[in-house]
Amino acid sequence: MATLRCPLIAGNWKMNLDHLQSIAFVQKLGWALKDAKYVESNVEVALFPPFTDLRSVQTLINADSLPFAFGAQDLSMFDDGAHTGDISGLFLKALECSYVIVGHSERRADHSEDDAIVAAKSRAAIRHSLVPIVCVGETAEDLETHGAAKIPVEQLTKVLEALDAKDNYVVAYEPVWAIGSGQAATPDQANDVAAALRETIAQVHGSERAEATRILYGGSVKAANIASLMKRPDVDGALVGGASLDVSEFSSIIQFPKHVTLDS
Ligand code: PGA
């Protein structure tokens, strides 16, 4: 973790927690962090609830001045019109979302989203001043055939070519084989691919942009492995799925600087 880049811990709830459950969850997380004397400036926390929860989460965060950013798990590549079931970046911005996840491997697999679609969605995010968290990652088969970095680098290159060096974006390296499997990449594996992704950003958008860009790791992140991941120089945070649904586990992940020396 480089000191210049503020670490980002992002909780991807996927299709879990309805709007009432989301309110209870966010309240409990706020209390847990307050009890733990969490200092907001050290780590940025962002929550990614389902679309139907966003208004409730926004209202609660604003009313209680909770130290959380929030965003959506997807957006349309279009701004408005005849796109039944899709959600515009305009609507997300109106709900004060800061971020939006694009190209998650579950969207790529369940909705056949290819790199061109992910690039168009990233552009849509930027158009509405949302920071896209661009997800890339190799399957177990890709890993076997090409090694770890080739596919994520190709996926990211296609998105970067559609963006500008001045655009604000975050990258999430999420090996598909590590998502929900309980088998996280080792800190060295995660760092090697993050370094290759940073090098790709340097090639396409220049070294200044590469140095400033946060690269997250995602895939079976837990309180027990976050500290060792965050010790690596190119890992600037985590995109957390399953463990972000458990208040005490997620609040412990957010407080990784406290246990960074216990685990390596
Ligand atoms: P996981 O999911 O933490 O449950 O492995 C991560 C993700 O899909 O973003």
Side-chain angles (χ1 to χ4, degrees):
M1 178 185 65
T3 44
L4 286 174
R5 300 184 289 267
C6 178
L8 173 61
I9 301 292
N12 173 13
W13 297 1
K14 310 194 180 185
M15 199 169 70
N16 295 290
L17 305 184
D18 66 25
H19 72 290
L20 295 174
Q21 293 168 319
S22 79
I23 293 170
F25 180 91
V26 175
Q27 258 167 349
K28 282 188 203 146
L29 185 64
W31 290 328
L33 291 171
K34 200 169 171 200
D35 284 351
K37 301 194 173 18
Y38 154 77
V39 184
E40 193 183 337
S41 58
N42 292 348
V43 180
E44 183 183 2
V45 179
L47 306 175
F48 293 84
F51 288 126
T52 51
D53 300 5
L54 283 171
R55 177 68 171 150
S56 307
V57 168
Q58 174 208 22
T59 305
L60 177 60
I61 287 176
N62 285 345
D64 290 3
S65 302
L66 296 173
F68 308 137
F70 59 94
Q73 299 171 16
D74 181 42
L75 84 170
S76 172
M77 69 172 92
F78 304 108
D79 295 344
D80 53 33
H83 304 289
T84 302
D86 285 349
I87 301 288
S88 167
L90 269 172
F91 308 159
L92 300 178
K93 198 62 201 174
L95 287 176
E96 302 176 333
C97 288
S98 307
Y99 292 99
V100 61
I101 298 173
V102 291
H104 190 282
S105 60
E106 286 150 17
R107 299 286 319 170
R108 291 178 191 258
D110 296 353
H111 301 273
S112 308
E113 292 190 5
D114 59 16
D115 293 332
I117 292 175
V118 178
K121 289 188 169 195
S122 302
R123 276 204 312 275
I126 298 286
R127 264 201 310 282
H128 301 297
S129 307
L130 298 159
V131 177
I133 298 187
V134 181
C135 300
V136 297
E138 81 288 0
T139 62
E141 204 185 330
D142 295 331
L143 179 65
E144 181 107 12
T145 321
H146 307 289
K150 183 173 188 285
I151 299 296
V153 162
E154 282 175 9
Q155 290 172 334
L156 183 61
T157 303
K158 300 231 174 72
V159 173
L160 295 180
E161 285 169 353
L163 300 180
D164 193 272
K166 68 174 176 10
D167 294 333
N168 191 6
Y169 55 83
V170 170
V171 175
Y173 167 53
E174 297 209 302
V176 181
W177 49 267
I179 294 177
S181 66
Q183 180 67 55
T186 66
D188 286 340
Q189 281 173 323
N191 193 68
D192 286 352
V193 179
L197 294 172
R198 198 175 305 285
E199 180 52 36
T200 306
I201 298 170
Q203 279 165 18
V204 183
H205 285 169
S207 55
E208 210 175 304
R209 177 69 252 197
E211 274 311 300
T213 300
R214 289 180 292 180
I215 301 181
L216 316 182
Y217 166 78
S220 297
V221 171
K222 299 190 173 47
N225 58 19
I226 183 69
S228 49
L229 287 159
M230 292 305 293
K231 278 172 104 172
R232 297 307 190 269
D234 283 297
V235 177
D236 305 312
L239 183 52
V240 186
S244 77
L245 296 167
D246 180 313
V247 170
S248 92
E249 185 78 8
F250 193 54
S251 85
S252 175
I253 291 172
I254 292 165
Q255 295 172 75
F256 73 86
K258 288 187 182 166
H259 45 115
V260 87
T261 49
L262 303 176
D263 164 322
S264 59

